[in-house]
Every structure is written in C-alpha cells, then in structure tokens.
Amino acid sequence: SDLLLCAPYYSTVVLAANTLLMSGDEAAKKAYLPGIAAGTTIATLAYTEPSGKWDESGITATATGSGSDFKITGTKSFVLDGHTAGLIIVAAKTGKGTSLFAVEGNAAGLTRTALSTMDQTRKQAKLELKDTPGKLIGAEGQGWSILNKVLDLAAVGLAAEQVGGAQKVLEMA
C-alpha cells in the first residue's frame, strides 16, 4: 500500500528495526526503537561493500575497541537512505567476527555520498567510515547470524512490495 511505497519505511522498519529486534540487545532496543516507532528516526542497515558480495565474506570493514565503544573503518555501498539516516547500523569485522554497530548519522569520520539510482523512491548512498565511533549492538561476533535472518525478512518484504506495485499497475491499466 502507500506505506510500503514510502522509501524510508523499508530501510527503517524492515531492515533497521528488525536488526535491532533480532539482536537481543535490550539497551539498543530501548535507545533506538522508540524513535523509529514514532517516525522521528530514519534508520538503515549498511552491510554491502564495493566488492559487490552479498555474503559474510564481502564484509571487510573493521571495528576496533572494547566494551560497547568501537571505531569503524571501511566503505559501505548501496546503503538505502544512507545519505539521510540518523541511525546507521553498520556490519564490520572485529577479532571475534562480524559484529553490528550503531553509528549516528552525524558521527565524526563518516562521509556520506548520495548515489544516482534509477528508482527515485529508493535512494542509496556510499558511506565511508574512518575511525568512526560506533556502539556495539548485540554480542560481538554474532552479527552475521542476525543479518542472515534480517535478509530473509527483507526478501519477503521486497517481494510483497513488488506484488503491491504490480497490482497497482494492473489496476491503472
């Protein structure tokens, strides 16, 4: 319906909110979900990189630190709403494996470049992170198991959106 055609809806609700929910991180959920639910926070998920790989081996961005505070370095490509999101959930490698981090949209060391897209309802950006501060979401090294589930949900959400779009075109015809 019209809500699904709202571009930030997909990145914020389907990708970011589900990532937070599946992380099991109660503090992160408490910190970020109210703004997402109220519509005051545009959030997104940044995991693909310039290599074009969509699996865990494609994640080469790195995060160093301890506790909940890390510094992230790397490049993320094709990030939905990455040029405007106030919250970016970034997948990066630590010594324990792929992990997820909350990065504020105005964080130091973050450069956001809007990309040209054919679909103007689905804006994308390239994000460059250089020692950008991030807060660990969930358990360190458990990011890929969460992403696997979120990507399955994203595929279902995208398929549903396409069915709705096809129905609208059929009605217009």
Side-chain angles (χ1 to χ4, degrees):
S1 91
D2 294 335
L3 182 58
L4 286 177
L5 296 176
C6 175
Y9 173 85
Y10 190 81
S11 64
T12 301
V13 176
V14 176
L15 298 175
N18 278 308
T19 301
L20 288 165
L21 289 168
M22 292 184 182
S23 73
D25 186 327
E26 295 303 320
K29 290 191 278 187
K30 185 176 180 180
Y32 303 116
L33 288 176
I36 289 172
T40 58
T41 300
I42 294 174
T44 193
L45 174 64
Y47 82 98
T48 57
E49 298 192 8
S51 70
K53 293 181 180 179
W54 293 82
D55 61 6
E56 187 175 18
S57 70
I59 299 172
T60 60
T62 58
T64 56
S66 62
S68 67
D69 295 317
F70 285 77
K71 300 283 186 193
I72 306 164
T73 299
T75 301
K76 297 296 178 180
S77 300
F78 315 114
V79 180
L80 294 176
D81 302 312
H83 62 298
T84 58
L87 170 64
I88 304 160
I89 299 175
V90 177
K93 296 279 176 78
T94 68
K96 294 183 179 181
T98 302
S99 302
L100 300 172
F101 302 90
V103 173
E104 298 296 327
N106 60 356
L110 174 64
T111 303
R112 309 193 288 181
T113 306
L115 300 174
S116 290
T117 60
M118 291 181 68
D119 180 354
Q120 294 301 301
T121 67
R122 187 144 299 158
K123 305 284 186 179
Q124 297 180 10
K126 176 174 90 171
L127 306 181
E128 296 172 90
L129 301 102
K130 181 158 178 55
D131 293 326
T132 304
K135 296 253 181 226
L136 181 65
I137 296 174
E140 187 177 348
Q142 299 302 308
W144 187 252
S145 65
I146 296 164
L147 285 176
N148 245 343
K149 294 173 191 167
V150 170
L151 294 176
D152 285 346
L153 284 174
V156 171
L158 191 55
E161 182 181 78
Q162 291 172 347
V163 167
Q167 180 64 43
K168 182 66 173 178
V169 170
L170 180 63
E171 290 168 5
M172 290 170 50

